[in-house]
Amino acid sequence: MVNMPYIFYEILDIFHKASFFALSLQAVLVILVIWLILHKNKNNEKTKNLTAQEKADLIANWNPEPLVGDTPLDHPSLSPRLVTSRVGKRITVDGWDCLNLGTHNYLGLLEDDGIQEDAIRSLKKYGVGSCGPRGFYGTTDVHLELEEKLAQFMDMEEAVVYSYGFSTIASAIPAYAKRTDICFVDEAANFAIQKGLDASRCTVIYFRHNDMKDLEEKLIEHTRQAAKNPKKAAKTRKFLIAEGIYMNTGEMCPLADLVALRKKYQLRFFLDESITFGTMGATGRGLTEHLGIDRAEIDLISATLEWAVGTIGGFCVGSSFIVDHQRLSGLGYCFSASCPPLLTRAAVSALEKFDKEPELFAEIQECSRKLQRKLEDLSVLRLRGDPISPVKHLYVREEKATKAEDALLTEIVDKCITKGLCLVKAQYLQHIEKKCPRPSIRISVNRLLTDEDMAFTFRTLESISKEVLLQ
C-alpha cells in the first residue's frame, strides 16, 4: 500500500530544494499547456458550429500551395544532354563526337588502363558497394589503405576519406565551427563551402575576393569589437577558410599572405585544395608545395578525389588530433555509405601513379599555360583564371544583363558541340548562392591536349563567339 504522507513530504522536499527560477518556469509551462488545450477546444467548437453550406464554401475557396513551384520552360534540367560514350579526352554528346573541355579529368586518368584493371579486380573481390557507413560495417581494408597513403603523400599525420567530394568540406566545417564561432571567408568560395557554413550556423564575414587589405580591415574591426566583451571573445573561435584555386574564378589564393594573417590574428585555417591537389607542385601535392609553404601552417587541408584523381570521394588531412574528430562529428563521414571499394582502389592506384610518374604534373601545368596563351587572344570573350590553373572562365567581353549573357553563352556552348567541341556553362543557384558569380563558360584543361587540340579550341570558340555576339 502506498504511504501517502511519505509521498506528500517528498513532494514538499522537491519544492523546497528547487530554485525560484525552476518553479517559475514550470508554472509558466503548466499555464501554457492549459491555455493551449482550452484554446484548441474553442477552435473545435467554432468548427463544429459551422453549417453544411459554410463548410462547403470553405472547401471550395481553399487554394493549396503547389507541391512543386513553377519551372521555367527554358530550365536546363528539362533538356539534358545525352552522353553515349565513356568520358575522357573525347566524348560523344547528343551524337556529336567532341573534344572534351567540360569535365574535370585534369590528368586524363579516366582513360588509364592500369587503374581500370585495379578497379575491376577490386570489384570482383568486394562487389559494387559497401552498403554502410564507415563507423558501422562500411570500412574495408582498402579504405584504410587509401587513408594511410593520403597521409603519407601529403606528409601529414592523419587522413579521413569521405564518399562524396561535395560533402567533404561541407561536413568538415560544421564539425569544428559552431554557433558561437566566427568564420572569415573569401566571397568567391564555392557552394560546398557555403553549405558547410550554413550547417555550422556560425557568424560568417565575407571579404572581397583575394583582397588581403579588406580581410585585415575586417579582422581589425572584429578585434576592436571583441575587446569590448573579452569574456565572450575568449569563448569565440575564429576560422579562416579559402580555396587553393577558386572554382568560381580559376584564380589562385595568396596563400603566403593568408598564412601570415592566420599567425597574426590567431585564426584556425582551412584550405580546400580540390583543384590544386594533383595538379600543382613538382609532385602534385598542391598549392603548399607549389609555393613552398609548410603544410603544418594550415590546420586542415581538404580536397576532392573526383577531379585530378579521376574517381569518387574526398579527403581531409591534418594532425591526428584534428582529423580524428571528424570520425565522430563529420556528418558526411558518419551517416553516408562509404565510398565503393572499387572506386577507393582506383584512388589508391592513382596515388601510386603520382609517385611513379611525377612528370604528369609538369604536363598539366604546361597545358594550362599553353591554353591560357591561346584563349587570351579571343576577340569577343574575356578569359579569367591563373595561367597555371586547369580551370578557367570565359565571359562576354562587353558586359550585358545577366539573363542576356546567360542566353548568349548557352548558344555558344550549343553551337560548339555541333562543331566537335564540348564545353559547359558554369551553373549556379541564382537565389541561393552568396554573391552569385557572373555567367561564364568554364574550361577544364586536360593533360592529354595537344597543340592541335588547343588550336582547334581557339578557332572554334573565336568563330562561334563572333557569330553569336556580333550578329
Side-chain angles (χ1 to χ4, degrees):
M1 187 173 179
V2 178
N3 189 339
M4 294 302 295
Y6 175 77
I7 295 175
F8 176 75
Y9 284 120
E10 282 294 313
I11 293 173
L12 284 178
D13 185 57
I14 291 172
F15 276 94
H16 178 72
K17 292 179 179 179
S19 66
F20 175 77
F21 174 78
L23 292 174
S24 302
L25 180 62
Q26 291 171 16
V28 170
L29 290 175
V30 169
I31 294 170
L32 180 62
V33 169
I34 294 172
W35 180 84
L36 288 172
I37 293 171
L38 296 176
H39 185 69
K40 182 178 179 182
N41 289 337
K42 287 181 180 179
N43 286 339
N44 289 339
E45 287 297 326
K46 291 178 182 178
T47 306
K48 288 177 183 177
N49 294 331
L50 292 176
T51 65
Q53 183 58 43
E54 287 173 333
K55 290 179 181 179
D57 291 340
L58 283 174
I59 294 171
N61 294 327
W62 181 58
N63 186 22
E65 292 184 8
L67 292 175
V68 179
D70 293 335
T71 302
L73 295 178
D74 60 348
H75 195 283
S77 298
L78 298 178
S79 54
R81 299 217 173 266
L82 182 61
V83 176
T84 52
S85 69
R86 283 178 54 187
V87 177
K89 176 185 170 181
R90 302 202 68 83
I91 186 172
T92 303
V93 183
D94 291 342
W96 300 96
D97 176 51
C98 300
L99 177 66
N100 183 10
L101 294 183
T103 55
H104 299 274
N105 180 28
Y106 307 141
L107 299 180
L109 298 188
L110 288 176
E111 301 166 86
D112 187 275
D113 293 334
I115 294 176
Q116 290 176 23
E117 290 169 5
D118 267 1
I120 291 170
R121 283 193 292 270
S122 181
L123 173 63
K124 292 177 180 178
K125 179 179 179 180
Y126 298 101
V128 176
S130 58
C131 302
R134 287 288 305 277
F136 293 88
Y137 42 84
T139 295
T140 62
D141 53 357
V142 72
H143 292 108
L144 300 178
E145 182 184 2
L146 176 57
E147 289 178 340
E148 182 180 354
K149 283 190 175 295
L150 282 166
Q152 291 174 352
F153 182 78
M154 294 297 288
D155 193 25
M156 302 293 274
E157 291 181 6
E158 194 90 21
V160 59
V161 170
Y162 287 78
S163 55
Y164 182 37
F166 185 97
S167 68
T168 303
I169 189 65
S171 297
I173 291 173
Y176 304 99
K178 303 301 179 185
R179 185 191 293 271
T180 56
D181 299 328
I182 185 167
C183 290
F184 295 88
V185 188
D186 192 296
E187 66 182 8
N190 64 50
F191 191 55
I193 290 176
Q194 294 176 31
K195 289 293 99 183
L197 294 167
D198 288 345
S200 73
R201 298 180 295 176
C202 64
T203 300
V204 183
I205 297 178
Y206 287 98
F207 58 92
R208 288 194 294 270
H209 180 46
N210 278 347
D211 189 335
M212 295 301 97
K213 183 179 179 182
D214 185 52
L215 171 58
E216 185 157 24
E217 286 175 357
K218 286 179 167 56
L219 288 167
I220 291 170
E221 175 61 21
H222 170 72
T223 303
R224 189 178 65 81
Q225 293 294 333
K228 297 178 181 179
N229 191 347
K231 188 175 180 180
K232 179 182 177 183
K235 297 178 181 179
T236 301
R237 296 175 299 178
K238 298 174 291 183
F239 295 84
L240 175 61
I241 300 173
E243 295 178 65
I245 287 179
Y246 289 89
M247 174 57 66
N248 291 344
T249 66
E251 294 172 341
M252 188 186 301
C253 77
L255 186 57
D257 294 334
L258 290 170
V259 168
L261 289 173
R262 178 198 72 80
K263 289 180 179 178
K264 184 176 180 180
Y265 293 95
Q266 298 180 329
L267 307 171
R268 294 168 172 86
F269 188 13
F270 290 0
L271 180 66
D272 184 8
E273 292 222 55
S274 290
I275 296 176
T276 50
F277 176 75
T279 62
M280 304 286 282
T283 58
R285 285 167 169 80
L287 188 60
T288 50
E289 182 184 42
H290 177 69
L291 297 177
I293 293 175
D294 186 359
R295 278 183 285 277
E297 297 286 355
I298 301 164
D299 296 284
L300 191 74
I301 294 176
S302 64
T304 182
L305 295 169
E306 297 168 7
W307 296 342
V309 179
T311 180
I312 296 295
F315 69 91
C316 293
V317 291
S319 67
S320 298
F321 174 76
I322 292 175
V323 172
D324 274 345
H325 177 70
Q326 292 181 57
R327 301 189 193 280
L328 295 176
S329 58
L331 300 181
Y333 179 91
C334 294
F335 300 108
S336 296
S338 63
C339 188
L342 78 154
L343 296 173
T344 308
R345 180 64 236 180
V348 172
S349 298
L351 287 176
E352 291 171 351
K353 191 177 182 70
F354 284 9
D355 287 331
K356 293 175 183 176
E357 303 177 33
E359 64 272 14
L360 295 173
F361 313 113
E363 291 171 5
I364 181 59
Q365 291 164 22
E366 182 59 23
C367 281
S368 298
R369 291 189 184 97
K370 283 184 176 180
L371 191 59
Q372 178 91 5
R373 289 193 291 268
K374 283 282 186 185
L375 298 183
E376 282 175 345
D377 292 334
L378 290 169
S379 58
V380 293
L381 293 175
R382 180 175 62 84
L383 181 67
R384 185 181 187 183
D386 195 278
I388 203 172
S389 170
V391 172
K392 307 178 190 298
H393 289 261
L394 291 172
Y395 303 86
V396 175
R397 191 174 289 277
E398 295 184 8
E399 193 167 348
K400 307 177 188 299
T402 298
K403 286 188 176 180
E405 286 189 354
D406 191 74
L408 291 169
L409 292 174
T410 299
E411 187 178 353
I412 290 173
V413 168
D414 292 345
K415 290 189 174 183
C416 280
I417 288 175
T418 65
K419 298 296 183 181
L421 178 63
C422 176
L423 302 173
V424 295
K425 187 166 60 64
Q427 298 292 337
Y428 306 106
L429 298 173
Q430 294 289 337
H431 304 294
I432 298 177
E433 296 204 30
K434 306 290 188 298
K435 195 173 175 56
C436 195
R438 185 183 169 198
S440 67
I441 295 172
R442 189 173 61 221
I443 304 289
S444 296
V445 183
N446 189 309
R447 176 184 66 89
L448 303 177
L449 293 176
T450 64
D451 291 344
E452 178 52 38
D453 293 330
M454 296 182 197
F456 166 74
T457 299
F458 174 79
R459 291 195 305 269
T460 306
L461 270 169
E462 178 71 357
S463 63
I464 290 178
S465 60
K466 281 184 175 181
E467 176 188 336
V468 172
L469 295 171
L470 299 181
Q471 62 183 356

